[in-house]
C-alpha cells in the first residue's frame, strides 16, 4: 500500500513538473504580466506627478526585484525589443500605438551555479517608455523564472511524501497488526495447535474474516473433541463383553480350542488398549513450546540403545524448533521401533533444507522393505502387510497411523519408500 502511494506521488510529480517547465518561454506567465503591470503603473504615476519629486516617487517604488529611473535619452544598452511585450506594455500604459516603447526580455536558462532549491531563479526584463516632457522612464525588473523541471523534485517529493508516509504508516499498522495475527493464528492451527479466539479488530472486512476464523476453529475443536470422546467411550465399553468372552473361554475343557481363542482375545485386548491410549493422548492439550530437535532425536535413540536395540543417528549440533515434543517423540519412536522390529536396525538423520523452509527426519533400516502397493496402505489403522509377521512381533497395526496423525497435527507429512540398496526409509517432513 505504501509503495503504491509513493509510486503515484512520484508519477504525479514527473508528469506535472515537466508540463510546468515546457511552456512558452522561461519566465512564468503571471510573473511577466505582473512585471509589465508594475512598469505601466510607474509610467502613469510619473506622468501624473506634475510638480512633485518624481525621482523620490520612483525611488519609493523601487524594490529588490524592480528598479525605476529617469533618463534624458533612450538607453542604448537594450537588446532587441520584444514586439509582443512592447505592444502589451503600450496598451497597459495608455500610450499611443505608435509610441517608441522598448522592451527587452532575457529568456535564456540561468547559470546553474547561481541556483539553489531555496532561491528561485530570475529573468531580466528591461523597458524604456517615452515621457511627455521628452525624458524616458527606464525600468529594470527581475521577474520570477521557471526552474529546470527536475530541480525542485527532491523538495516537492519530500514535502508531499512525508505527511503521506506518516498517515499511511499509522493506517497500515491498524490494518496489518490484526492481519498478521490472523495469519500467525492460521499457521499455528495448521500445525495442530489450539489457540484462544482472536480479538475481533481492524477494518470491517478483517473483523468478518477474524470472526469466521474463530467460528471455524471452535467447530473444528468441538468436532475433534467429540470424535475423540466417542472413540474412547467405544473402546472402554468393549472391555466388558471382552472380559465376559475371556471368562467363557477359560471354562472350555478342550485346550486345543481354548488356545487359539485366547490368542484372538489377547489381540483384541491389545487393539482396544492401544486405541484407548491413542484417544487419551490425543485429547490431552500438550502446549507448543520451543525445544532442541537434535536433542529430541538423540534422546529417542539413546532410550532404545539402552535397551540393546541397534539404533544410530546423525543430527546437527542444535536445531531449535517449536512443536509439541511428547507427540513428536511418540511419532518418531513408533518409526524407530518399526524399523528395529521389521528391519533389524534403525538409522535416524535430521536435516534442515538449504532454503530453510522445511526440515526432515529420516528413519532408515536394512530390512526387506514392503511391497510397493502397501507404502500408503500401512498408514491405515490396523493395516498389516503380513498378519503372521505382525502377530509374531507383537504389533497390531496402529503405530504408523498414530505417527502420521502426530506429524499431520504439526503441519507435516510422512512418506515411506523402499531404498535402492535394500530396506525401508520413513521420511518425516516438517515446516520449518
Amino acid at each position: 500500500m505504501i509503495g503504491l502511494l509513493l509510486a503515484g506521488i512520484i508519477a504525479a510529480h514527473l508528469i506535472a513538473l515537466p508540463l510546468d517547465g515546457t511552456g512558452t518561454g522561461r519566465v512564468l506567465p503571471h510573473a511577466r504580466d505582473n512585471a509589465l503591470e508594475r512598469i505601466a503603473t510607474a509610467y502613469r504615476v510619473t506622468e501624473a506627478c506634475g510638480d512633485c519629486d518624481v525621482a523620490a516617487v520612483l525611488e519609493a517604488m523601487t524594490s529588490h526585484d524592480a528598479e525605476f529611473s529617469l533618463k534624458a535619452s533612450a538607453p542604448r544598452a537594450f537588446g532587441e525589443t520584444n514586439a509582443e511585450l512592447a505592444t502589451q506594455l503600450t496598451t497597459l500604459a495608455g500610450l499611443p500605438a505608435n509610441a517608441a516603447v522598448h522592451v527587452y526580455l532575457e529568456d535564456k536558462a540561468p547559470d546553474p551555479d547561481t541556483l539553489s532549491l531555496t532561491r528561485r531563479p530570475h529573468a531580466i526584463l528591461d523597458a524604456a517608455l517615452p515621457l511627455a516632457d521628452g525624458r524616458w522612464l527606464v525600468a529594470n525588473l527581475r521577474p520570477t523564472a521557471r526552474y529546470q523541471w527536475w530541480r525542485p523534485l527532491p523538495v516537492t517529493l519530500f514535502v508531499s511524501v512525508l505527511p503521506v508516509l506518516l498517515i499511511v504508516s499509522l493506517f497500515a499498522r491498524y490494518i496489518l497488526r490484526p492481519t498478521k495475527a490472523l495469519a500467525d493464528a492460521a499457521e499455528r492451527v495448521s500445525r495442530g495447535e489450539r489457540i484462544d479466539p482472536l480479538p475481533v479488530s481492524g477494518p470491517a472486512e478483517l473483523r468478518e474474516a477474524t470472526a469466521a476464523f474463530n467460528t471455524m476453529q471452535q467447530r473444528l475443536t468441538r468436532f475433534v473433541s467429540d470424535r475423540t470422546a466417542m472413540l474412547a467411550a467405544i473402546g472402554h465399553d468393549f472391555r466388558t463383553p471382552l472380559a465376559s468372552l475371556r471368562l467363557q473361554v477359560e471354562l472350555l475343557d478342550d485346550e486345543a480350542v481354548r488356545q487359539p481363542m485366547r490368542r484372538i482375545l489377547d489381540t483384541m485386548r491389545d487393539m482396544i488398549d492401544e486405541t484407548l491410549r491413542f484417544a487419551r493422548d490425543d485429547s490431552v492439550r500438550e502446549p507448543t513450546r520451543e525445544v532442541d530437535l537434535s536433542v529430541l532425536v538423540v534422546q529417542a535413540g539413546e532410550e532404545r540403545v539402552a535397551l540393546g536395540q541397534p539404533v544410530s543417528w546423525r543430527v546437527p549440533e542444535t536445531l531449535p524448533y517449536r512443536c509439541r515434543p511428547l507427540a513428536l517423540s511418540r511419532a518418531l519412536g513408533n518409526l524407530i521401533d518399526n524399523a528395529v522390529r521389521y528391519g533389524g536396525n534403525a538409522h535416524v538423520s535430521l536435516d534442515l533444507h538449504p532454503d530453510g523452509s522445511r526440515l526432515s527426519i529420516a528413519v532408515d533400516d536394512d530390512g526387506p522393505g514392503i511391497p510397493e502397493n502397501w507404502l500408503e496402505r500401512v498408514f491405515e489403522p490396523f493395516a498389516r502387510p503380513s498378519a503372521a509377521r505382525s502377530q509374531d512381533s507383537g504389533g497390531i497395526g496402529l503405530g504408523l497411523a498414530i505417527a502420521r496423525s502426530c506429524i499431520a497435527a504439526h503441519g507435516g507429512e510422512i512418506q515411506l519408500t523402499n531404498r535402492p540398496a535394500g530396506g525401508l526409509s520413513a521420511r518425516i517432513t516438517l515446516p520449518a
Side-chain angles (χ1 to χ4, degrees):
M1 184 187 304
I2 295 176
L4 287 175
L5 286 174
L6 291 180
I9 293 174
I10 293 174
H13 279 74
L14 293 178
I15 293 172
L17 290 176
L19 292 178
D20 178 68
T22 55
T24 303
R26 187 176 62 85
V27 180
L28 295 174
H30 68 274
R32 179 197 60 206
D33 295 342
N34 180 66
L36 293 177
E37 184 63 44
R38 293 174 69 182
I39 297 173
T41 300
Y43 175 82
R44 290 193 298 269
V45 169
T46 302
E47 288 287 58
C49 188
D51 296 334
C52 67
D53 189 351
V54 177
V57 172
L58 294 180
E59 184 178 354
M61 298 180 68
T62 298
S63 64
H64 70 281
D65 61 344
E67 181 180 350
F68 300 96
S69 62
L70 291 175
K71 301 293 183 181
S73 61
R76 298 179 180 180
F78 280 9
E80 183 179 353
T81 296
N82 187 311
E84 181 181 354
L85 296 183
T87 302
Q88 185 178 351
L89 181 57
T90 299
T91 303
L92 291 173
L95 286 165
N98 60 351
V101 175
H102 303 282
V103 179
Y104 169 72
L105 176 65
E106 182 181 305
D107 200 18
K108 63 182 181 180
D111 184 359
D113 296 334
T114 65
L115 299 180
S116 67
L117 293 177
T118 59
R119 182 179 178 183
R120 289 198 65 94
H122 295 89
I124 297 175
L125 178 62
D126 295 332
L129 292 80
L131 298 171
D133 60 4
R135 292 181 297 178
W136 289 78
L137 172 65
V138 178
N140 306 107
L141 281 77
R142 293 176 293 279
T144 303
R146 289 186 175 93
Y147 279 115
Q148 291 92 339
W149 69 268
W150 50 266
R151 183 169 288 274
L153 196 60
V155 172
T156 56
L157 276 178
F158 176 78
V159 172
S160 57
V161 164
L162 186 60
V164 171
L165 281 180
L166 291 176
I167 295 173
V168 174
S169 297
L170 294 175
F171 188 68
R173 288 187 61 186
Y174 172 69
I175 294 178
L176 293 180
R177 184 177 298 172
T179 302
K180 188 175 185 301
L182 181 59
D184 291 342
E187 195 273 338
R188 290 171 59 190
V189 169
S190 71
R191 294 165 61 100
E193 296 186 37
R194 299 181 183 181
I195 62 175
D196 296 329
L198 295 176
V200 179
S201 61
E205 294 81 1
L206 191 56
R207 290 199 299 268
E208 293 177 3
T210 303
F213 176 84
N214 289 337
T215 302
M216 177 199 70
Q217 186 188 203
Q218 291 172 0
R219 291 175 179 172
L220 285 175
T221 301
R222 184 167 59 248
F223 169 76
V224 173
S225 298
D226 292 345
R227 184 205 65 174
T228 304
M230 180 183 66
L231 185 62
I234 293 174
H236 184 272
D237 291 344
F238 266 131
R239 290 192 172 192
T240 300
L242 191 63
S244 178
L245 286 174
R246 182 76 182 210
L247 180 60
Q248 295 183 39
V249 167
E250 295 299 331
L251 295 176
L252 293 176
D253 295 330
D254 191 345
E255 181 64 25
V257 175
R258 226 178 18 242
Q259 187 60 33
M261 295 183 68
R262 282 175 181 159
R263 187 166 59 250
I264 294 174
L265 290 175
D266 289 340
T267 301
M268 292 179 63
R269 182 198 60 204
D270 293 340
M271 294 172 67
I272 292 173
D273 289 342
E274 188 67 19
T275 301
L276 285 174
R277 187 162 69 91
F278 172 63
R280 182 175 60 253
D281 292 345
D282 192 52
S283 64
V284 174
R285 293 196 174 194
E286 182 188 356
T288 299
R289 55 190 178 91
E290 185 172 299
V291 299
D292 190 337
L293 204 55
S294 296
V295 173
L296 188 145
V297 172
V298 171
Q299 288 177 348
E302 289 177 343
E303 289 175 1
R304 286 153 181 83
V305 169
L307 299 176
Q309 298 179 1
V311 179
S312 60
W313 53 85
R314 177 183 58 80
V315 298
E317 182 177 351
T318 181
L319 183 56
Y321 190 67
R322 283 187 58 81
C323 65
R324 292 178 298 286
L326 294 180
L328 196 57
S329 295
R330 184 180 183 192
L332 179 61
N334 285 351
L335 294 179
I336 296 176
D337 292 340
N338 275 0
V340 172
R341 183 181 297 131
Y342 302 122
N345 66 340
H347 177 70
V348 187
S349 59
L350 171 62
D351 297 288
L352 180 65
H353 196 270
D355 63 8
S357 63
R358 60 187 182 276
L359 54 87
S360 63
I361 305 174
V363 181
D364 302 331
D365 64 56
D366 296 324
I370 59 176
E372 292 291 332
N373 61 331
W374 274 91
L375 290 177
E376 278 296 321
R377 291 176 60 188
V378 291
F379 290 108
E380 300 174 3
F382 308 115
R384 294 172 293 188
S386 174
R389 188 179 73 170
S390 296
Q391 290 172 2
D392 293 339
S393 61
I396 62 170
L398 258 184
L400 288 178
I402 293 173
R404 169 169 278 190
S405 176
C406 294
I407 297 304
H410 282 79
E413 59 181 16
I414 299 180
Q415 185 178 15
L416 298 181
T417 55
N418 286 311
R419 300 169 60 199
L424 188 68
S425 176
R427 180 172 294 273
I428 300 173
T429 303
L430 293 169

